[in-house]
Amino acid sequence: MSDQVNRFLGDSLGRTLIKLIVVSLIVGFVMTIFGLTPWNIIYGFRDFVLEIWHRGFSALGRVGDYLLLGATIVIPLFLILRLFSYHR
């Protein structure tokens, strides 16, 4: 069992824990310097997803406007052309 844990972690359990503690301290220090908190990161990601969501629907709204505008010309022309070709 210990060999499987060591293989999974890449080193012994104690050395891996020490490495994780040191890296966590360094990352925590850097995040403090930049004024980041875990909640800022989570809320930032949430806001990013919501912004993409809202912009996506507004883009679809513009596509829908273009579709309706083009359809006011294309569909009557299509119907007229079909009626003229129907008599042949």
Side-chain angles (χ1 to χ4, degrees), residues 80-88:
I80 290 170
L81 290 173
R82 294 298 293 169
L83 286 174
F84 282 131
S85 67
Y86 179 70
H87 292 293
R88 291 183 184 177

Side-chain angles (χ1 to χ4, degrees), residues 5-21:
V5 172
N6 288 347
R7 192 171 15 164
F8 174 74
L9 295 175
D11 208 348
S12 68
L13 181 62
R15 289 176 58 108
T16 302
L17 285 175
I18 290 172
K19 289 177 188 178
L20 288 174
I21 289 170

Side-chain angles (χ1 to χ4, degrees), residues 62-74:
R62 279 182 272 151
V63 169
D65 291 343
Y66 296 151
L67 179 69
L68 289 175
L69 185 61
T72 59
I73 302 297
V74 171

Side-chain angles (χ1 to χ4, degrees), residues 50-60 62:
L50 288 175
E51 185 68 23
I52 288 175
W53 181 270
H54 291 122
R55 286 187 188 266
F57 280 120
S58 68
L60 289 178
R62 279 182 272 151

